[in-house]
């Protein structure tokens, strides 16, 4: 209805002109031609190979000692470790076979190496004594790790079996909850710390290193502080449980009288237990190493050293191994040659491909914008040839 | 008047519910129904159901999902996005509904409409009503609610309105019909049920109780004695004669665009003035009810279907514009009912008593029958109950349909018969069937493949889990049997767990993303300035948004001719009068004919048509003119012609641009003694008299300028040419036609107009000159129709017989010639009718037109009876010029590999000529003409044609097939032959086809060849074809809007098809296919990374990524780049796309969306996922990656590291796929990656137990080294494949891109050398194709 009084100017429906609306935005349209594709291969090859070499070289400067002490409990007399049970990674060219191999045996002890642990039940504690040679002086920071194999910390239900609130210090809220089968004990009292992860904590304890055969008795200590991430420390707090309202997890029970906490044997202060925090960070793979201690100051001089380990954690049950790993570090972390190797491999492959394609291009070149390749310049004109089109009139072809 | 008892059932309720509200609702949702209805719609999508199932699964705690709420996030996001999209779409509809519903019109107020049920239901009813209104249900409760609202308003405004009304009442004295007996009942105010009743009404007014109102008397009032209004005691009520069928529930958008009521500047006067309390009051459209009196003023929209009672026009006619209904912009005449035509004041309305029996609402826009009935009582014996009923037919000519606009008429008073959904326009706005694109359909197998892959990896996981259940490993000893009691149960659980884990493999956001992409494509098509037609101010309107990729795969185009290839602007070119040809100039088609002749001479084997003989003795004038510079010659001739005219008589009415040029005409006219002069005079007089055109004088200052508005442009062209030649149709008043013949005013009385319709294909007028008693019938129509009805018995007038026979012979030859030149021909004939014959016929005719049943057929029969024994006068030829750019567009489309079939109603010869003119046929083509009259003949011809075309050579062929032949050809037995024949030909011309045949042809090709088809047309006859094809395109031209309404895309000109297909279609095809591939790819990569991890966790279904990352991956981190690839990427710019139309064949062959490409992509994705997992895995098997020795091998740290690589790789994939990098694309890819980092860094701050400080992963050097390495390693195979494919099996667009590159380089080189070497193959810059082509023309 047009208004008689005023002339309403009808808005034009003309589309607005503009680079965006007309889809004419300035664009970079790279065309994949041999002149761009082939150099790419070479560039990648030329870049990656040296990077890989550099990485490999840098990594080889790490000193790393790995010892498998899984079977220590079998030997009451010292035995040398078999070749596959230990490795040395050295930054210098040294003949490892000239060193004395590591040796181990166990002794029964009556106290735990961990000073915070008492032994109310008077357990006989198998203590593994490992003697090993440090072939070259290691420079700080030096880290000691334990390595477990075939331990599936990444099991779907295992990884969720903890209670963040309880670890922060709050009592478990009654119903529901996250701790899976290890939430409360049979008599109904809460387990602290609850859950499968805490229960299965790696509880071997190691001593400091003491020198063997050295002129002076030297000890080399690893501290357990500063092994957990600061962010992890925020997740734990002193518990507000009274000792007798909670029970330790089943695997911890032997350390406590009648398997219960009491005033003399209070629950551990998790907020100070960095080893526990490290354990609670579930590992991604079934073969993992976790930090056991560190020394940021002293160098570990070459020579033979002794370490005692309480064998509390039974890996033979499930067929796993436990190792102790002592390692130095580089700006790129611990010993890991694979990255460098892969870099070199990828670089090499690219160089090879580049060459193959260049040769191919030289033998069978195609000029840029060769119109004979256009489908409409080929027989049939590049028009679709549907199958349904042929057999339509069969009867007619007979006559 | 009481409603008769038969209208009620036992319970006293009305049988036929009339309370169809005039409120219309095209919107799908209402505030209340939005959420449930929209959710229901969305969950009809199987993918959404699947995800709902997964969300529910994740809520079950046994599957160990920690935050089930997070798992619902993507689904909720998708649902919300979709809901918002639907909501916005619907809101627009709602708003336009509201605008329509609340538009104001004038209805008679304070007056009880018996047709409406009581609406006062008390508070409770209006309370319930509120919910009904919110839910969009119209029933008595909602009515009650609205009434109560209105009342409240009324109360508020009471005082105001009283004041406002006072001045209006003051105008009462100015009433033209001063009715004396009016009681001064104005005191009683607003109450709806109190009517101002005259003192002497007889029937007791039953005051309304709540429940008896339906039987309430409306108004019984005797006519005041001196009332000038004729039909005695007319009572007013509208009844449906037959049960009104319930209206179909789903309806779609109306095209009614009401504007606001113009402010009333002067108090209403005359009939508009109030009478007491009864006055014309502005009422919202939604409150208009059947039976209401309504007053529509000039330029107002009609709010409902209205029977016209009277108009301001002395002849009781009114003019309407029906653009909203059928798109025709010309004015049409509607007639008020005779019986009520004297109603001219409010009081008349009050006094009127009548009722209208109406047929139930139906769809046909052009049909209506109803009867107006009223009682006549003997005036003098008022007490006697003797009464008889009078009736008057209400026809299509007496109603105004909703959506029309009243023009050139001061006011119209009417009675509403249909409201709301019953109105014709609402019944006609059916929804076009929803379409899905081919690619969307082809995506489904891929989605299913993904489901299968999902099932496979889930089963592998669960089986492996069962197997490993008893294996050596830590869980048995530390996990306290948490996995369940036995391996099978554990495996069973794992199946569901991994189903959750791998959920991303089915791309939840794919469907919505494709929608978004296509919406943008639709937007870009809409805003393409090259497809905007400035003259008609129409851009390309996209009506179906989701099939833009189909535009890139069209193999067959079916096109209408008239109005699609041609302009549908009719220009009178030639005529033959008494065997003499007039008219100079040449047509595009006659040029085409010349080409054809050359072709035909060359290929003697195809000499099938018998019309050839005529080509050799073509007219000399045409030939000579063709050889000369025709425009100059024509201008010269035009001047000469009008000089000669001026010598004979003065004609002030010559139009601005006459198209008929022939000075010879006036030479013949000048010899007034000859027969030819009188023949010419009669011929043009017939043109001036025999039509239904309306004369308008648009220019107020120049009254000599007359323009004609007609139903068909042909008719206007005929009358206009008569005007230019001095036979001016000046105007029509009542039944008198005023013409100016050679400067002399003459008047004719029109006795009957026998109108044109498509079955009759002719129209006639019967008229009587004022200065004579002769009754003459003038008839014009299609030549075949007219020839059938020419006089056979001359009753011994041998001379006449002889001249007629000669005339018929020569005229048909001439008409044939005209047709061959591509002109549209009509024949003119006449006869004299004696009074003895006329009178009984007229009676019969009037009866027929008054009948209610089968009126059309009866009228046709009556017309048939009088239109016989006619004498031929001659024929006219009108040219419908080709649209600009049509031949070029057709040539380009042919190059692109699209086959064009033109389906036209023209004769074979005309069609062929037009075919040559518009490049559909070319010189090097073999014409295969199939023209059979019987089934056997058709079959024989088809077999013959197949034999001749069954050769291996690459000859181009064109098939020409006739409508009759097609009728037999489309029968099941021969269908395949036609199809095969059509396939062997590059273009096909189907002549004389009916609308139904058009659809059949489309269906035959679409289903027979399983190809994508496109139909383009402009008229109502193309609608079925448009709906049948995969893509329907409507030309929004002159011939109505039905085609546009039914179409998926509406363009203004045929030539825009060029860009629509070759640019937008091609782009859309490539973009969509790349995008869908990319979607599947990125989900596979992500899912398989999780799968590889299962190897290292005993297939227990652990999720190494933080759960939030899993849920957000698809939605946030990777979706935008791929979507924007789908929106913006272009392999070649529009200019180059148009330069190489053959590029379109990529879509025809479906190069980009092949199954092998899908599987290769899948394989590549699996490879990349392996690289993405195992390369970072290397970091874990050695020493720690962190220089200060702390552990960084936690499951979620590793997950973060791998997920970041996966996000990089997925986004890089887009970069690798992109053809063109704009700042937008680069920005969005970078943004997506940055968003990932931002998310992880922020999320890591919220010290959740498992994900705290994980952002520090990114701070290590190892991370960046492994990232670069992994990305490079991921893309090496892809890059190799791309290089090899590109180098040794390039796609067309690759080559063209190279060509462009080479040219750019050459240009640069030549610029450097500053010696411009003109490369013959360089393409013109700057101007688009159209620009160049238009200049050429």
């Amino acid at each position: 209805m047009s208004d008689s009084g005023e002339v309403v100017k009808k808005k034009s429906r003309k589309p607005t002109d503009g680079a965006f609306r007309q889809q004419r935005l300035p664009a970079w349209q790279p065309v994949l031609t041999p002149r761009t594709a082939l150099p790419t291969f070479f560039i990648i090859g030329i870049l990656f190979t040296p990077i890989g070499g550099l990485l490999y070289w840098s990594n080889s400067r790490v000193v790393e000692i790995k010892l498998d002490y899984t079977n220590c409990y079998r030997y009451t007399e010292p035995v040398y470790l078999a070749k596959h049970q230990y490795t040395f990674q050295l930054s210098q060219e040294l003949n490892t076979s000239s060193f004395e191999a590591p040796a181990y045996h166990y002794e029964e002890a009556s106290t735990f190496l961990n000073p915070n642990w008492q032994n109310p039940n008077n357990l006989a504690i198998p203590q593994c004594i490992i003697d090993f040679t440090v072939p070259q002086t290691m420079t700080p920071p030096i880290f000691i790790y334990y390595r477990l194999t075939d331990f599936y910390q990444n099991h779907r239900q295992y990884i969720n079996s903890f209670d963040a609130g309880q670890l922060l210090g709050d009592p478990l809220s009654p119903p529901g909850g996250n701790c899976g089968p290890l939430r409360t004990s049979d008599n109904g009292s809460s387990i602290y710390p609850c859950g499968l992860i805490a229960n299965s904590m790696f509880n071997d304890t190691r001593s400091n290193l003491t020198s063997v055969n050295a002129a002076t008795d030297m000890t080399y200590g690893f501290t357990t502080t500063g092994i957990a991430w600061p962010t992890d420390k925020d997740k734990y707090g002193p518990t507000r449980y009274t000792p007798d309202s909670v029970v330790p997890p089943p695997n911890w029970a032997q350390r406590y009288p009648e398997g219960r906490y009491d005033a003399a044997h209070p629950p551990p202060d998790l907020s100070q237990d960095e080893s526990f925090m490290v354990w609670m960070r579930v590992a991604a793979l079934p073969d993992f190493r976790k930090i056991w201690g560190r020394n940021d100051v002293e160098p570990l001089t070459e020579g033979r050293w002794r370490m005692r380990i309480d064998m509390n954690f039974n890996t033979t049950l499930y067929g796993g191994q436990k190792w102790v790993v002592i390692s130095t570090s580089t700006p790129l972390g611990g010993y890991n040659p694979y990255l460098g190797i892969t870099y070199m491999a990828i670089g090499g492959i690219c160089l090879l491909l580049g060459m193959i394609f260049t040769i191919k291009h030289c033998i069978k070149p195609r000029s840029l914008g060769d119109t004979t390749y256009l489908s409409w310049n080929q027989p049939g004109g590049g028009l679709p040839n549907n199958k349904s089109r042929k057999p339509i009139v069969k009867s007619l072809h007979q006559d | 008047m009481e409603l008769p008892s038969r209208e009620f059932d036992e319970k006293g309720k009305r049988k036929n519910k009339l309370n169809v509200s005039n409120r219309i609702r095209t919107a799908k949702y209402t505030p209340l129904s939005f959420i449930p209805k929209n959710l229901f719609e969305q969950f009809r999508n199987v993918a959404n159901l699947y995800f709902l199932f997964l969300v529910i699964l994740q809520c079950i705690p046994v599957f160990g999902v920690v935050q089930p709420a997070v798992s619902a996030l993507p689904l909720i996001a998708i649902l919300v996005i979709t809901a918002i999209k639907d909501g916005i779409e619907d809101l627009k509809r709602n708003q336009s509904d509201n605008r329509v519903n609340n538009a104001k019109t004038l209805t008679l107020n304070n007056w009880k409409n018996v047709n409406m049920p009581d609406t006062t239901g008390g508070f409770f009813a209006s309370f319930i009503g509120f919910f009904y209104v919110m839910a969009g249900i119209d029933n008595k409760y909602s009515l009650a609610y609205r009434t109560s609202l209105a009342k409240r308003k009324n109360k508020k405004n009471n005082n105001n309105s009283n004041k406002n009304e006072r001045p209006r009442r003051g105008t009462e004295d100015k009433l033209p019909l001063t009715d004396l007996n009016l009681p001064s009942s104005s005191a009683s105010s607003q109450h709806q049920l109190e009517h101002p009743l005259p003192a002497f009404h007889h029937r007791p007014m039953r005051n309304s109780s709540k429940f008896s109102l339906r039987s309430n008397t409306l108004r019984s009032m005797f006519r005041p004695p001196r009332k000038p209004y004729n039909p005695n005691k007319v009572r007013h009520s509208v009844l449906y004669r037959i049960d009104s069928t319930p209206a179909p529930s789903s309806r779609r958008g109306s095209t009614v665009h009401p504007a606001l009521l113009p402010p009333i500047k002067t108090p209403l006067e005359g009939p508009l003035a109030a009478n007491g309390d009864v006055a014309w009051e502005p009422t919202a459209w939604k409150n208009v009810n059947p039976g209401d009196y309504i007053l529509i003023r000039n330029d107002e929209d009609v709010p409902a279907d209205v029977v016209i009672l009277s108009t301001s026009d002395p002849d009781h006619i009114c003019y309407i514009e029906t653009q909203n209904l059928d798109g025709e912009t010309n004015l049409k005449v509607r007639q008020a009912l005779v019986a009520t035509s004297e109603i001219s004041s409010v009081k008349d309305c009050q006094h009127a008593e009548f009722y209208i029996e109406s047929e139930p609402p139906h769809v046909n826009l052009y049909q209506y029958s109803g009867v107006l009935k009223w009682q006549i009582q003997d005036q003098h014996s008022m007490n006697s109950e003797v009464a008889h009923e009078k009736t008057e037919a209400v026809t299509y000519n007496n109603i105004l349909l909703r959506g029309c606009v009243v023009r050139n008429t001061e006011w119209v008073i009417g009675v509403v018969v249909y409201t709301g959904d019953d109105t014709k326009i609402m019944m006609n706005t059916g929804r076009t069937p929803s379409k899905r694109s081919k690619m969307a359909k082809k995506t489904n197998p891929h989605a299913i493949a993904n489901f299968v892959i999902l099932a496979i990896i889930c089963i592998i996981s669960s089986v492996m889990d069962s197997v490993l259940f008893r294996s050596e490993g830590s869980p048995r000893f530390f996990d306290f049997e948490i996995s369940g009691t036995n391996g099978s149960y554990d495996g069973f659980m794992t199946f569901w767990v991994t189903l959750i884990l791998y959920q991303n493999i089915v791309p939840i956001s794919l469907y919505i993303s494709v929608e978004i992409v296509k919406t943008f494509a639709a937007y870009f098509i809409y805003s393409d300035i090259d497809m905007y037609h400035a003259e008609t101010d129409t851009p390309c309107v996209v009506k179906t948004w989701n099939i833009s990729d189909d535009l890139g795969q069209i193999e067959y185009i079916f096109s209408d001719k008239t109005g699609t290839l041609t302009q549908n602007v009719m220009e009178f070119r030639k005529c033959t009068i008494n065997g003499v040809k007039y008219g100079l100039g040449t047509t595009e088609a006659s040029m085409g004919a010349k080409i054809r002749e050359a072709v035909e001479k060359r290929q003697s084997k195809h000499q099938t048509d018998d019309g050839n003989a005529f080509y050799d003795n073509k007219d000399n004038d045409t030939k000579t003119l063709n050889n000369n510079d025709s425009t100059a010659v024509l201008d010269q001739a035009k001047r000469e012609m009008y000089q000669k005219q001026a010598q004979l008589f003065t004609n002030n009415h010559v139009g601005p641009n006459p198209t008929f040029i022939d000075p010879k005409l006036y030479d013949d006219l000048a010899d007034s003694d000859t027969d030819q002069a009188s023949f010419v005079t009669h011929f043009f007089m017939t043109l001036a008299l025999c039509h239904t055109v309306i004369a308008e004088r648009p220019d107020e200052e120049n009254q000599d300028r007359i323009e004609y508005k007609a139903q068909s442009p042909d008719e206007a062209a005929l009358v206009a040419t008569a005007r230019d030649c001095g036979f001016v149709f000046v105007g029509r008043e009542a039944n008198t036609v005023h013409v100016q013949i050679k400067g002399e005013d003459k008047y004719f009385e029109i006795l009957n107009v026998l109108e044109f319709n498509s079955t009759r294909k002719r129209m006639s007028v019967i008229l009587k000159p004022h200065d004579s008693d002769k009754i003459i019938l003038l008839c014009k129509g299609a030549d075949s129709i007219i020839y059938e009805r020419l006089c056979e018995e001359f009753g011994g007038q041998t001379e006449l017989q002889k001249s007629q026979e000669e005339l018929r012979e020569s005229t048909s030859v001439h008409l044939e010639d005209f047709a061959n030149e591509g002109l549209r021909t009509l024949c003119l004939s006449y006869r004299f009718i004696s009074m003895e014959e006329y009178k009984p016929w007229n009676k019969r005719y009037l009866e027929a037109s008054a009948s209610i049943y089968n009126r059309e057929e009866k009228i046709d029969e009556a017309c048939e009876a009088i239109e016989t024994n006619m004498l031929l006068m001659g024929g006219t030829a009108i040219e419908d010029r080709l649209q600009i750019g049509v031949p070029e567009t057709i040539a380009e489309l042919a190059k692109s590999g699209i086959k064009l079939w033109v389906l036209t109603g023209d004769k074979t010869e005309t069609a062929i000529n037009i075919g040559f003119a518009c490049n559909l046929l070319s010189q090097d083509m073999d014409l295969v003409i199939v023209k059979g009259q019987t089934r056997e003949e058709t079959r024989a011809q088809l077999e013959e044609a197949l034999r001749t075309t069954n050769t291996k050579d690459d000859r181009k062929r064109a098939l020409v097939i006739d409508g009759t032949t097609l009728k037999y050809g489309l029968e099941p037995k021969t269908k395949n032959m036609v199809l095969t024949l059509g396939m062997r030909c590059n273009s096909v011309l189907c002549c004389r086809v009916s609308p139904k045949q058009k659809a059949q042809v489309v269906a035959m090709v679409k289903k027979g060849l399983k190809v994508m088809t496109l139909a383009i047309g402009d008229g109502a006859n193309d609608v079925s074809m448009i709906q049948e094809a995969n893509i329907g395109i409507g030309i929004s031209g002159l011939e109505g809007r039905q085609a546009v309404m039914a179409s998926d895309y509406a363009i203004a000109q045929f030539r825009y098809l060029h860009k629509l297909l070759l640019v937008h279609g091609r782009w859309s095809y490539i973009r969509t296919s790349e995008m869908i591939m990319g979607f599947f790819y990125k989900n596979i990569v992500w899912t398989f990374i999780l799968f590889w991890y299962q190897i290292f966790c005993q297939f227990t279904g652990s999720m190494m990524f933080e759960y939030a990352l899993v849920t957000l991956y698809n939605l946030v981190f990777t979706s935008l780049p791929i979507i924007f690839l789908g929106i913006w990427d272009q392999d070649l710019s529009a200019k180059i796309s148009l330069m190489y139309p053959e590029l379109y064949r990529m879509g025809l062959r479906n190069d980009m969306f092949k199954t092998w490409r899908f599987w290769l992509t899948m394989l590549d994705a699996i490879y990349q996922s392996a690289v993405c997992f195992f390369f970072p895995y290397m970091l874990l098997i050695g020493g720690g990656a962190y220089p200060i020795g702390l552990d960084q091998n936690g499951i979620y740290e590793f997950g973060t590291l791998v997920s970041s690589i996966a996000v990089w790789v997925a986004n890089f994939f887009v970069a690798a796929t992109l053809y063109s990098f704009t700042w937008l694309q680069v920005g969005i890819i970078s943004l997506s990656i940055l968003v990932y980092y931002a998310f992880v860094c922020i999320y890591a701050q919220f010290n959740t137990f498992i994900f705290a400080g994980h952002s520090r992963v990114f701070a290590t050097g190892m991370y960046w080294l492994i990232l670069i390495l992994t990305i490079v390693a991921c893309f090496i195979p892809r890059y190799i494949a791309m290089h090899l494919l590109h180098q040794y099996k390039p796609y067309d667009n690759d080559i063209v891109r190279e060509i462009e590159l080479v040219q750019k380089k050459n240009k640069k080189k030549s610029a450097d050398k500053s010696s411009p070497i003109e490369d013959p193959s360089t393409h013109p810059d700057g101007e688009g194709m159209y620009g160049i082509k238009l200049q050429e023309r």
Side-chain angles (χ1 to χ4, degrees), chain B residues 242-258:
Chain B
I242 312 161
D243 281 17
S244 59
T245 43
S249 54
S250 65
R251 291 178 194 290
R252 296 270 308 159
S254 124
T255 53
V256 184
H257 305 293

Side-chain angles (χ1 to χ4, degrees), chain B residues 140-195:
Chain B
K140 60 175 181 174
Y141 291 115
S142 57
L143 207 60
Y145 170 69
R146 286 197 198 108
T147 328
S148 70
L149 271 190
K151 270 186 191 162
R152 227 172 293 157
K153 251 187 200 164
N154 266 354
K155 270 179 203 161
K156 266 189 204 164
N157 300 335
N158 245 353
N159 291 336
N160 292 342
S161 60
N162 273 344
K163 273 175 207 157
N164 289 345
E165 268 171 40
R166 225 164 274 280
R168 273 194 215 169
R169 283 198 200 122
T171 63
E172 263 173 51
D173 7 18
K174 291 178 199 160
L175 281 176
L177 305 160
T178 40
D179 267 325
L180 306 174
N181 294 321
L182 264 179
S184 53
S185 59
S186 56
S188 65
S189 67
Q190 312 300 328
H191 198 279
Q192 216 171 346
L193 300 173
E194 284 182 27
H195 305 292

Side-chain angles (χ1 to χ4, degrees), chain A residues 3 9 31 50 53 59 72 118 124 134 144 149 176 188 209 211-212 215 365 393:
Chain A
D3 200 327
K9 200 176 177 191
V31 181
N59 218 278
C72 187
Q118 292 155 358
V134 175
I144 184 163
T149 64
L209 305 186
S211 64
V212 187
V393 187

